[in-house]
Amino acid sequence: MSEKIVISPTSRQEGHAELVMDVDDEGIVTKGRYFSITPVRGLEKIVTGKVPETAPVIVQRICGVCPIPHTLASVEAIDDSLGIEIPKAARQLRELTLAAHTVNSHAIHHFLIATDFVPENLMATAINSVSEIRKTVQYVVDMVAGEGIHPSDVRIGGMASNISELARKRLYARTKALIPKIDAHVDLIVGLVADKDLPAGLGVTHAPTLATHNSYGDRTKFDLDRFTEILPETWYDDPEVGHRACSTIPLYDGRNVEVGPRARAAVFGSYSGEGVVAQHVARAMEMKQYISKIVDILAELDTSAPVMADYDITGTNKLGIGAIEVPRGMDIHMAQIADGKTQFYSCLVPTTWNIPTMGPATEGFHHDFGPHVIRAYDPCLSCATHVLVVDDEDKSVLKNEMVRI
């Protein structure tokens, strides 16, 4: 007789989530559903009707893990709506900010999975490595973007200011010296993941991959005509689950897609690994890629160059798109500016793309693999909620404020 196992809330992800598994008599998971139960907070509606400068400040608080990608996606979307072409040095500083944040975020992930993969005799080595890496790259964000958490110097039209030549030299020296530490750290994590001997098919979904850029983001690679967003009750086959979920489900070409480190490695690096192990390997290897990018940008940056474009804040009502490749997925923001105010705003947040159903990621495995299944696509769910008006009696949707196309 099939049994339904509910883990609510799940641990080790941003926001509140629930895992519902159907388990057969032999303890094999036949179906898994993993979804957000975080209440709607309405941040997209808060910025609507306000001056555009409000949006990046508000939406960067969508998530405590990835405030920097939300800030960058916001200013990119507003830049696009206003027709702004930011200066080269501003683009370099934005890319530098995201690269440093990504190294930091991946290091945090390794801290979170340490109890799963790191043996006791190597725990101190791994944690000390994480701490040293994070301290250096957070210093980069502080110096370049104003703050390590809420980057106050990332602005519509570019950046608030360029860094000084002394700061550039100091950051260059510190980050270049960090390369051997990151190389050793990545080799340690990749080796420990391999040594865990997880099942070869764990987390393999065969879903299409979606990535716009190998390290920053490219709005031209996101085709809005291929995107749709649906309510969970139209996706999940269990009505109880569908009505309880509060994340909308984005589809590309009508399908659920995989985004994030493994997707970027597959799209831009011909990486063929799949599943949980491949995701951990791809995430770790990105640390090497991003630290090299940080050093390269700092070597080239002209600290005397302008970093702010001239622009008219009035706007023409164009729907602007900002696409940012986030440590945990892909972040798309949409902004429409007219008469000097934000007329429409919507966020398609990083890992909502990955989590509507676990499907083959869980099917066929004993449910005691749960912790590793949960970490497969690193969900951060609390930023996934949108505004819906629902009838209290029959739960029908009266008004849909998800995405207006």
Side-chain angles (χ1 to χ4, degrees), residues 208-221:
T209 54
L210 177 63
T212 66
H213 195 269
N214 67 340
S215 60
Y216 184 71
D218 183 351
R219 67 174 67 92
T220 67
K221 297 298 195 302

Side-chain angles (χ1 to χ4, degrees), residues 208-211 257-264 279 325 328-330 349-354 377:
T209 54
L210 177 63
V257 296
E258 179 186 343
V259 297
R262 200 201 71 83
R264 288 190 288 270
Q279 184 74 314
E325 292 295 326
R328 290 162 175 79
M330 183 178 66
V349 299
T351 50
T352 313
W353 298 93
N354 287 329
Y377 295 110

Side-chain angles (χ1 to χ4, degrees), residues 97-110:
T97 300
L98 182 63
H101 166 77
T102 301
V103 174
N104 175 61
S105 187
H106 287 348
I108 292 173
H109 180 85
H110 293 154

Side-chain angles (χ1 to χ4, degrees), residues 36 38-45 62 227 229-232 245-250 331-334 344-350 352-353 381-390 399-404:
S36 174
T38 302
V40 169
R41 295 172 298 158
L43 294 179
E44 294 152 310
K45 299 301 292 181
I62 282 175
F227 162 78
E229 192 171 24
I230 62 176
L231 296 173
C246 65
S247 294
T248 57
I249 297 170
D331 195 13
I332 304 291
H333 283 218
M334 300 180 188
F344 170 75
Y345 204 95
S346 184
C347 311
L348 312 176
V349 299
T352 313
W353 298 93
L381 304 174
S382 66
C383 50
T385 56
H386 296 259
V387 174
L388 299 172
V389 180
V390 179
K399 189 175 183 181
N400 179 346
E401 293 286 356
M402 292 187 297
V403 173
R404 185 182 68 199

Side-chain angles (χ1 to χ4, degrees), residues 64-113:
V65 175
C66 50
I68 287 170
H70 281 302
T71 307
L72 291 168
S74 181
V75 295
E76 290 279 342
I78 297 172
D79 286 346
D80 187 32
S81 181
L82 295 175
I84 300 171
E85 185 70 32
I86 68 172
K88 176 184 176 180
R91 168 75 180 212
Q92 289 176 312
L93 292 175
R94 286 185 182 181
E95 292 190 2
L96 189 57
T97 300
L98 182 63
H101 166 77
T102 301
V103 174
N104 175 61
S105 187
H106 287 348
I108 292 173
H109 180 85
H110 293 154
F111 175 79
L112 292 174
I113 66 169

Side-chain angles (χ1 to χ4, degrees), residues 170-227:
R170 184 173 296 170
L171 293 175
Y172 178 82
R174 289 188 64 167
T175 53
K176 190 172 184 179
L178 189 64
I179 291 177
K181 171 62 72 174
I182 286 183
D183 287 343
H185 174 82
V186 170
D187 291 345
L188 173 66
I189 296 298
V190 170
L192 291 174
V193 170
D195 289 344
K196 196 68 177 179
D197 196 27
L198 296 177
L202 187 63
V204 176
T205 65
H206 303 298
T209 54
L210 177 63
T212 66
H213 195 269
N214 67 340
S215 60
Y216 184 71
D218 183 351
R219 67 174 67 92
T220 67
K221 297 298 195 302
F222 178 76
D223 187 347
L224 193 57
D225 292 334
R226 299 168 65 185
F227 162 78

